Amino acid sequence: MLETTDLRKVFKSTVAVDEVNLYLNKGESVGLLGPNGAGKSTTISMISSLSMPTSGDVKWNGESVVKNPNVIRNVLGVVPQEIAVYEELTALENLKFFGKIYGLKGETLDQKVEDALKIVGLEEKQKELVKNYSGGMKRRINIAVALLHEPEIIIMDEPTVGIDPQSRNYILEMVRQLNEEKGMTVLYTSHYMEEVERLCDRIYIMDHGKVIATGTQEELTSILSSEESILIELDRPYPNLVKALSGLEEVLQVVEHDKGIKLIVTKGSRLLGKVFQIAEQEDAQIAGINVQVPTLEDVFLHLTGRKLRD
Amino acid sequence: MVNFLKKDVLILIRDRTELLVLLLMPFVLTAILGFALGGVMSEEGFSELKVAIVQEDDTEAGVQQFIDDVNSAAFPDEAKVGMTEAAESFQPFSIIEEALFSDDLEGVVKVSYLAEDEALEAVQDEEILAIIKVPEDFTYQALQKMILDEGEGSELIIQSSDHSALAVDIVDDIISTLVDQINLETAIAQVGGEEAITSTEEELSIHDLGGVESVTDQEPLSMLQYYTFGMAVMFALYVASTMGSKAYIENYQHVFDRILLSGRSRNLYLSGKWVSTIVLVVMQIFILLVASSLVFQAFQLNNWAYWGGIGLISLVYALTIGSLGTLLVAMAMRTKSNAIPNVFAFGIVSVFAFLGGSFAPMFQLPDVINQMGLWVPNGVAMNAYLQWTQGLGLSAIGPLLVRLLVMAIVIFSMSLFIFPKRRVA
């Protein structure tokens, strides 16, 4: 249905996207995961025909989007990372404006506007100016505009950035419904691991402009099937503790985070005793300890050596 | 297109700061400047055009010389008598003098007789606007041409300084109209003979001179009228910069991308901006003129012919400002920056306004500034508004409207060229 071949984008001397190959089948929900600056938005921009690739191609049902952008424009809905609506207009006025530029009119337009408002749950607030909306409501109207013309495929570029957990949950549930109940194909980019885990059938992990891993969640986490992670909660940072733990043979990686330390260790290594012993030597106060099976976050850490939100 | 227009109007209406700048500011400035500088264009100032006549011609000697020539020539006696009578009764400059001193031009033109040196000095000192010089042998040569159709005729010389081009234009128009009328009557007389000459002499009065009538029928231009037009043409420029800035925001917030994703062409977007700017400028000028009429009684609202002309000038000017708006939109999109619309709003508009006569009355500006003003859209529109208000008619404002239309086409073509084409690789 949608396929990119050796997609590459170079800005002056910077390679933003490097030989990216990905595909989406009809009705699939695919995640594009990567930290800020990984090249996700640039990839989306090329897929949606807004930006011309330096080389490579994007094909929609076998036709080149690069050569003829119109093959995808009428079937594509894009939710950009930015709130791409007119904040001085009401939600209703925005939807009517964008509906009309998609060629909708009369009763059809009114019906589609009503449907879009219902999907995003803004019927009650449709006559309020967007600038008076909360962050979550702005995100929802941003999505509603992309749904107006009932696209076959929707691309969402980090649609939950900067909003409260309740709005975020609402949006995630909405995306799930669009995919599962309406059969809409979804390409979802995020640097929130749990969103991608919750929504997507397959995942592409990008870093420094390249796809570094791809597969289902199970396939990706199986990369770390021989490993497990130990989360150690500390009352404050202990640099010497990190240094000491890094020196242990069974420890593959040590990552500091805001609450303590995460160790990626060989599966089955009986390490907890040594951890407590070293902590005592370093006079570190352990507040809690938790052994986990690998997550996508761990996979990303394993593949890139850094956390997703670095 | 209507969809784009509705959206742009709604956005502008809801931006109170912008609305204050575009609608209230010109009205307030019109009031301040109009009342503060009102004396400059009062009856004693602008409306009374001071001219000096430098008489180097001896009328009686010229008539006598012509009669001597006729008597010494081989004409039949009857013809000689007719020509002599015609020369004694029909003296060209006397007709102009009578018109200048007539009741109709009282309070409009003040005439004095000076020697050439004094007159030149008075022009330099800005005590008078123009000199009407009657050269030596004017009467003799004029009679030769008019009655015998011999020689090249004679010419009046109008001299002026640069300090008040508009007022000098009016003096020039008055004299030209009078001379044209004399030439016309002469042509009729040459065809119709003595009877026609006599009837011309009887009927010729200032009321027959269409060009002069059109000036004197109007109230002198008031400062409130002047600054209403001055602020209207100046603040219309801000609509163009506003459209440029709004387009930059649309691009920055990726709304423009959304429009492109709908499959609409870039040129449609640009044309939408053009139409929106035109409509906003027309609305802005209309509101200002009506407000100025209602609050200051600057204009009479029931003169439909006059308002028809004002509407035409406003529309043509709006087309040009529409093009200027699209140029700023194109530049903002090309540079992905709001810098150019800002530079335009905070710098170039002031320069244009100065050249166009929005800050200081044109008749007080040097001619070189007035000439430069004819190369900026607001200056051309300003001239058209003033000339129309002073009753100079469509023939006077026609070339100015054509100039505005040419500007509109050239600027719009430039914006099409500058506006970013399809996706950049």
Side-chain angles (χ1 to χ4, degrees):
Chain A
M1 190 182 188
L2 180 74
E3 186 182 10
T4 73
T5 316
D6 298 332
L7 207 56
R8 185 177 163 86
K9 182 78 178 181
V10 180
F11 295 108
K12 293 182 182 168
S13 58
T14 307
V15 181
V17 174
D18 194 6
E19 311 281 319
V20 164
N21 293 285
L22 56 83
Y23 70 92
L24 279 88
N25 289 322
K26 189 172 171 60
E28 257 194 318
S29 176
V30 174
L32 195 54
L33 197 63
N36 289 331
K40 303 188 300 290
S41 294
T42 309
T43 302
I44 283 177
S45 178
M46 288 188 283
I47 291 173
S48 59
S49 79
L50 285 171
S51 170
M52 186 84 99
T54 308
S55 61
D57 205 353
V58 178
K59 285 186 176 168
W60 172 256
N61 290 334
E63 283 192 76
S64 172
V65 172
V66 175
K67 287 179 186 159
N68 182 10
N70 288 331
V71 300
I72 201 170
R73 285 185 173 173
N74 283 333
V75 294
L76 174 72
V78 177
V79 181
Q81 207 174 105
E82 301 77 14
I83 307 296
V85 296
Y86 294 103
E87 299 220 348
E88 299 85 357
L89 301 185
T90 65
L92 185 65
E93 288 164 347
N94 266 294
L95 290 171
K96 289 207 165 179
F97 170 74
F98 285 108
K100 282 177 186 169
I101 65 168
Y102 270 102
L104 303 172
K105 51 189 168 186
E107 286 181 15
T108 313
L109 173 66
D110 293 341
Q111 188 59 52
K112 302 271 186 194
V113 167
E114 197 181 318
D115 291 347
L117 285 166
K118 195 173 173 186
I119 290 171
V120 299
L122 287 174
E123 304 109 300
E124 304 285 315
K125 304 279 187 182
Q126 60 179 283
K127 291 186 178 170
E128 281 188 24
L129 296 181
V130 173
K131 67 178 178 187
N132 297 332
Y133 277 10
S134 67
M137 288 160 74
K138 284 180 182 175
R139 289 275 161 204
R140 276 144 70 185
I141 184 66
N142 205 28
I143 294 170
V145 172
L147 297 174
L148 261 180
H149 59 297
E150 292 187 344
E152 290 179 43
I153 176 169
I154 187 159
I155 298 178
M156 301 178 131
D157 190 3
E158 308 206 16
T160 58
V161 169
I163 58 173
D164 59 279
Q166 198 182 354
S167 294
R168 191 171 163 207
N169 199 45
Y170 187 99
I171 288 173
L172 293 178
E173 184 54 26
M174 186 173 64
V175 177
R176 190 197 62 74
Q177 282 179 4
L178 288 170
N179 176 238
E180 291 180 5
E181 294 172 20
K182 292 186 181 286
M184 204 176 276
T185 307
V186 176
L187 177 59
Y188 191 97
T189 85
S190 179
H191 58 246
Y192 292 114
M193 199 68 71
E194 59 276 21
E195 291 184 356
V196 175
E197 285 175 341
R198 178 172 164 183
L199 293 173
C200 301
D201 306 322
R202 286 192 300 116
I203 297 155
Y204 289 89
I205 298 180
M206 282 189 80
D207 192 36
H208 296 304
K210 291 181 185 243
V211 171
I212 55 171
T214 178
T216 61
Q217 192 180 333
E218 292 73 27
E219 286 168 344
L220 287 171
T221 50
S222 71
I223 294 172
L224 300 180
S225 57
S226 59
E227 294 162 10
E228 61 190 8
S229 48
I230 301 171
L231 281 173
I232 305 167
E233 280 186 48
L234 300 166
D235 62 337
R236 63 178 176 83
Y238 293 94
N240 289 338
L241 179 64
V242 174
K243 202 173 171 184
L245 290 172
S246 302
L248 292 172
E249 191 183 338
E250 300 90 336
V251 173
L252 303 172
Q253 244 168 343
V254 181
V255 183
E256 289 180 272
H257 58 87
D258 49 356
K259 288 183 179 172
I261 299 170
K262 184 174 193 174
L263 304 179
I264 298 196
V265 301
T266 309
K267 199 169 185 178
S269 55
R270 294 175 180 177
L271 202 63
L272 290 180
K274 285 183 186 175
V275 170
F276 282 113
Q277 193 181 352
I278 292 170
E280 196 174 342
Q281 283 169 7
E282 298 298 332
D283 203 20
Q285 295 290 318
I286 294 178
I289 198 156
N290 187 13
V291 180
Q292 291 181 328
V293 292
T295 63
L296 281 177
E297 182 89 43
D298 300 326
V299 174
F300 187 82
L301 190 66
H302 172 77
L303 293 172
T304 66
R306 59 199 176 106
K307 289 197 296 178
L308 197 55
R309 268 166 268 175
D310 275 349
Chain B
M1 204 72 87
V2 175
N3 194 29
F4 281 96
L5 172 64
K6 186 181 171 189
K7 178 259 299 174
D8 284 331
V9 170
L10 279 174
I11 288 174
L12 194 66
I13 284 172
R14 286 176 187 157
D15 187 341
R16 285 183 190 170
T17 313
E18 205 73 59
L19 212 57
L20 283 175
V21 169
L22 295 180
L23 292 180
L24 194 61
M25 278 288 280
F27 185 70
V28 171
L29 283 174
T30 298
I32 294 170
L33 292 169
F35 285 116
L37 304 176
V40 180
M41 276 194 184
S42 65
E43 290 280 327
E44 297 76 34
F46 178 75
S47 60
E48 194 167 61
L49 307 170
K50 292 177 181 173
V51 296
I53 293 173
V54 174
Q55 181 60 279
E56 294 189 341
D57 178 47
D58 186 337
T59 308
E60 285 181 18
V63 171
Q64 192 54 53
Q65 189 182 350
F66 177 77
I67 292 169
D68 291 347
D69 283 358
V70 167
N71 288 334
S72 60
F75 294 125
D77 287 347
E78 201 175 317
K80 285 181 182 176
V81 171
M83 284 189 251
T84 302
E85 286 177 358
E88 284 171 343
S89 61
F90 189 68
Q91 293 156 15
F93 191 69
S94 302
I95 294 167
I96 294 172
E97 276 179 310
E98 281 170 25
L100 289 172
F101 284 104
S102 70
D103 292 344
D104 299 284
L105 290 183
E106 190 179 350
V108 178
V109 180
K110 186 178 182 184
V111 183
S112 55
Y113 289 89
L114 296 173
E116 187 169 17
D117 292 350
E118 292 172 332
L120 287 171
E121 198 175 327
V123 166
Q124 288 296 323
D125 296 344
E126 300 183 10
E127 290 169 3
I128 58 169
L129 287 168
I131 302 167
I132 302 170
K133 184 176 172 184
V134 188
E136 204 174 338
D137 286 342
F138 176 85
T139 303
Y140 173 68
Q141 288 177 10
L143 290 172
Q144 284 248 309
K145 181 69 181 171
M146 289 162 70
I147 297 175
L148 299 177
D149 197 20
E150 287 179 2
E152 295 299 316
S154 187
E155 287 181 345
L156 287 173
I157 299 162
I158 299 176
Q159 293 175 291
S160 66
S161 70
D162 288 343
H163 70 269
S164 182
L166 188 66
V168 172
D169 281 349
I170 295 170
V171 173
D172 197 30
D173 282 344
I174 293 171
I175 301 300
S176 298
T177 309
L178 287 163
V179 170
D180 288 347
Q181 188 67 22
I182 291 166
N183 289 338
L184 176 67
E185 301 294 344
T186 304
I188 294 168
Q190 283 172 345
V191 174
E194 193 180 340
E195 280 182 28
I197 294 172
T198 309
S199 67
T200 300
E201 186 187 357
E202 286 168 357
E203 290 171 15
L204 188 66
S205 77
I206 194 68
H207 292 293
D208 296 318
L209 307 176
V212 178
E213 273 188 359
S214 63
V215 173
T216 54
D217 277 354
Q218 299 293 322
E219 289 294 314
L221 194 71
S222 75
M223 213 53 162
L224 276 169
Q225 287 174 321
Y226 185 92
Y227 277 112
T228 301
F229 292 129
M231 293 302 112
V233 295
M234 175 180 164
F235 278 83
L237 295 170
Y238 285 115
V239 178
S241 64
T242 298
M243 294 311 280
S245 294
K246 298 276 182 202
Y248 161 74
I249 293 168
E250 282 180 329
N251 194 33
Y252 176 74
Q253 293 182 336
H254 295 256
V255 181
F256 177 62
D257 285 347
R258 256 201 163 131
I259 293 168
L260 292 184
L261 283 171
S262 70
R264 300 287 159 188
S265 76
R266 288 160 189 265
N267 287 348
L268 180 75
Y269 172 82
L270 201 60
S271 304
K273 291 288 172 197
W274 188 63
V275 171
S276 297
T277 313
I278 290 167
V279 173
L280 289 169
V281 168
V282 169
M283 283 167 59
Q284 183 197 38
I285 293 175
F286 175 78
I287 290 169
L288 182 60
L289 293 185
V290 169
S292 191
S293 303
L294 294 175
V295 179
F296 305 134
Q297 279 81 46
F299 305 95
Q300 289 183 339
L301 284 170
N302 57 0
N303 187 344
W304 297 111
Y306 171 72
W307 285 105
I310 291 293
L312 178 66
I313 297 166
S314 303
L315 180 63
V316 175
Y317 180 52
L319 295 176
T320 315
I321 297 301
S323 296
L324 197 57
T326 58
L327 181 64
L328 293 173
V329 167
M331 287 174 160
M333 292 296 206
R334 166 70 73 175
T335 58
K336 293 180 180 170
S337 155
N338 201 19
I340 291 175
N342 278 341
V343 166
F344 184 82
F346 297 111
I348 296 174
V349 167
S350 300
V351 176
F352 275 27
F354 173 70
L355 294 176
S358 289
F359 292 150
M362 283 179 176
F363 68 89
Q364 290 182 340
L365 296 173
D367 196 44
V368 65
I369 299 291
N370 287 328
Q371 287 302 317
M372 287 169 77
L374 288 174
W375 290 99
V376 292
N378 54 307
V380 181
M382 183 76 178
N383 269 281
Y385 280 127
L386 295 182
Q387 292 191 19
W388 180 254
T389 301
Q390 290 174 316
L392 292 183
L394 270 176
S395 58
I397 64 166
L400 296 170
L401 297 184
V402 170
R403 182 179 279 239
L404 280 174
L405 285 172
V406 171
M407 283 181 180
I409 292 166
V410 170
I411 297 170
F412 191 75
S413 305
M414 282 168 66
S415 47
L416 283 176
F417 181 74
I418 291 170
F419 196 57
K421 303 295 175 287
R422 213 182 129 221
R423 306 161 296 155
V424 180

